[in-house]
Every structure is written in C-alpha cells, then in structure tokens.
Amino acid sequence: MATQEQVREALTQKLSGLQGEGGGTSLEVLEVRVPSVFPKLLLKIQVSVSGQLWEVSLDYQGHEASLVSGDLTEDTLNYLGFLVRTHLFEWWHTKDTEKFSARMGKRLD
C-alpha cells in the first residue's frame, strides 16, 4: 500500500500548476495534502480559481480508494489525476447550487 507521503508526492507532480478544462475556467493547484489513504483516500487540495483561494476536500472510498492500495503505476496515477481534476472542476461549477459541493470547499481568502 502506498503511504500518504508517496500519494501526496505523486499527485502533487500530476496536478500542480495551472489546470484547464477547455471551457474557459482554469484552476491552479497550489498544494495537495493526504490525511488518509486507508480505508478511504482523503485529499485536501488548495486551489486558486478566478482570484479566489480555496481548500477542497475530496473523499474517495471503495474502488477509487483502492487505487492507492498497490503500487503507484503511471496508469494508476494518470487515472487518479484525471479523476481529481474532474472532481475539482465539477466542485467549482456546482458549489453555489449544490449543498454537497458547497460543503467540499472552504474559502481561505
């Protein structure tokens, strides 16, 4: 099983910097923290979007959490990076209308 530090380092490499989705919105991943890898994968990601600073909590269980239960292969990291990026953009676009999404993010500035 990958350690919290291994997951943090790998995801930081995959996600750091400016991320775009093609729709005009960009977010910058500033920091990735991994408070837990088992039994659930918990990520705390600090992002800058539209001049605002946020911390977003992503909580993965089941299949997604099991992605880090073995070796962190390039394919696994690519998929996990894609999943996290997708969820960050989904959170950004739904945080003002969905209660669940609103609870995932905390504005820091």
Side-chain angles (χ1 to χ4, degrees):
M1 177 179 306
T3 67
Q4 289 168 260
E5 185 60 22
Q6 288 170 321
V7 174
R8 186 197 66 75
E9 284 180 17
L11 281 177
T12 296
Q13 288 180 1
K14 285 285 174 204
L15 297 170
S16 283
L18 209 54
Q19 308 285 325
E21 65 170 346
T25 301
S26 294
L27 59 83
E28 185 176 5
V29 174
L30 304 172
E31 180 185 355
V32 177
R33 291 194 339 264
V34 183
S36 169
V37 291
F38 185 81
K40 66 181 180 180
L41 174 60
L42 180 60
L43 306 176
K44 300 263 185 192
I45 302 175
Q46 197 176 98
V47 295
S48 175
V49 191
S50 299
Q52 301 173 14
L53 187 61
W54 291 82
E55 181 179 81
V56 182
S57 297
L58 298 176
D59 183 343
Y60 297 103
Q61 299 179 26
H63 172 69
E64 286 89 4
S66 72
L67 290 171
V68 297
S69 64
D71 292 334
L72 294 177
T73 66
E74 194 64 25
D75 284 346
T76 298
L77 288 171
N78 285 338
Y79 176 71
L80 192 55
F82 169 77
L83 196 65
V84 169
R85 218 176 351 267
T86 300
H87 288 147
L88 287 172
F89 280 108
E90 188 176 86
W91 159 78
W92 176 254
H93 290 300
T94 61
K95 70 180 178 8
D96 295 328
T97 56
E98 301 287 332
K99 287 182 183 177
F100 179 77
S101 291
R103 288 193 301 265
M104 293 168 57
K106 175 175 69 173
R107 189 156 177 186
L108 300 177
D109 61 358

